Amino acid sequence: DAGVTQSPTHLIKTRGQHVTLRCSPISGHKSVSWYQQVLGQGPQFIFQYYEKEERGRGNFPDRFSARQFPNYSSELNVNALLLGDSALYLCASSVRVQETQYFGPGTRLLVL
Amino acid sequence: AQSVTQLGSHVSVSEGALVLLRCNYSSSVPPYLFWYVQYPNQGLQLLLKYTTGATLVKGINGFEAEFKKSETSFHLTKPSAHMSDAAEYFCAVSSSGTYKYIFGTGTRLKVLA
């Protein structure tokens, strides 16, 4: 069975630009969570979506937004990119909100 | 608020030696606890988890962890290290009613030949 997939794998942007990251959950999983992992640190929670509704939000500015589609895939959008947004963005899926989360390979974003 | 502390950002062991990676948590409610492994340039792979029930949890690749409520610990062990175990290991905590995982800062395991 296919795991969580994310695209693109790598991305280079410049300050002020906008970026969209995509995630497809494991088949049968209805919840998707997004995490940011800055180099040398553990992942930090950004959002969780379940059945297309936001169920949780971490301590990130409004420049970060996300949505979930009817097929349970998800997008993470970041506006007005800053150098500090450079990180590995991880998507995790779970059957339901409180179930074990399984992570994708991540999208590595570099902001110049 | 929940938090996780991983003691030792870098741990080195000889091949065949015991692996012990330490994790202490803080939680005001019964925690769910997880260990994930991250290989270079990859995402996180679930090693094992504790939710309820037996406090000694066995995971993949020969790893196990024991939930000790009195010590608020969930240390990860493996009796005999293999070169392929070299990676970064993350401990995480959540509670049954919350949606987010709180991760520690990670421990990088180096296995010496």
Side-chain angles (χ1 to χ4, degrees):
Chain A
D1 289 341
V4 177
T5 59
Q6 293 185 243
S7 62
T9 56
H10 295 81
L11 205 51
I12 299 176
K13 293 285 188 179
T14 57
R15 281 177 296 176
Q17 284 190 311
H18 162 270
V19 69
T20 297
L21 310 181
R22 296 177 175 83
C23 171
S24 292
I26 294 170
S27 177
H29 287 198
K30 298 183 177 180
S31 179
V32 169
S33 299
W34 288 94
Y35 291 80
Q36 180 196 64
Q37 186 180 16
V38 173
L39 196 62
Q41 297 183 21
Q44 301 248 331
F45 173 77
I46 311 176
F47 287 110
Q48 186 179 60
Y49 276 77
Y50 177 67
E51 292 281 16
K52 304 185 293 295
E53 292 188 4
E54 182 183 301
R55 289 304 185 95
R57 171 186 283 258
N59 188 24
F60 280 80
D62 291 344
R63 299 185 296 107
F64 289 77
S65 64
R67 56 179 176 168
Q68 187 177 31
F69 299 99
N71 66 354
Y72 305 110
S73 67
S74 177
E75 283 183 353
L76 175 69
N77 295 282
V78 187
N79 293 323
L81 285 167
L82 303 174
L83 296 179
D85 295 330
S86 296
L88 179 67
Y89 288 85
L90 294 164
C91 174
S93 76
S94 57
V95 175
R96 287 175 290 274
V97 169
Q98 297 165 11
E99 300 287 336
T100 301
Q101 296 181 14
Y102 295 89
F103 285 79
T107 294
R108 190 165 296 280
L109 172 65
L110 177 61
V111 182
L112 301 176
Chain B
Q2 295 177 311
S3 66
V4 173
T5 301
Q6 290 185 242
L7 294 175
S9 58
H10 292 80
V11 170
S12 293
V13 300
S14 298
E15 191 174 20
L18 172 71
V19 175
L20 171 60
L21 305 182
R22 298 179 186 274
C23 172
N24 287 88
Y25 70 91
S26 172
S27 179
S28 58
V29 296
Y32 287 3
L33 295 158
F34 306 84
W35 276 100
Y36 285 86
V37 61
Q38 186 174 38
Y39 296 100
N41 300 312
Q42 294 188 27
L44 302 178
Q45 180 183 7
L46 179 68
L47 276 178
L48 49 79
K49 63 179 179 181
Y50 168 80
T51 53
T52 58
T55 56
L56 181 63
V57 180
K58 295 186 184 299
I60 62 171
N61 301 338
F63 284 95
E64 63 181 37
E66 186 171 10
F67 169 60
K68 292 188 177 181
K69 184 178 178 180
S70 61
E71 299 178 9
T72 60
S73 69
F74 191 58
H75 302 330
L76 182 71
T77 61
K78 181 174 180 177
S80 176
H82 191 272
M83 297 297 287
S84 61
D85 295 328
E88 187 143 27
Y89 292 78
F90 290 95
C91 181
V93 65
S94 74
S95 71
S96 61
T98 65
Y99 40 79
K100 65 180 179 181
Y101 288 10
I102 305 297
F103 284 87
T105 52
T107 297
R108 187 170 296 278
L109 176 66
K110 186 175 182 179
V111 181
L112 307 172

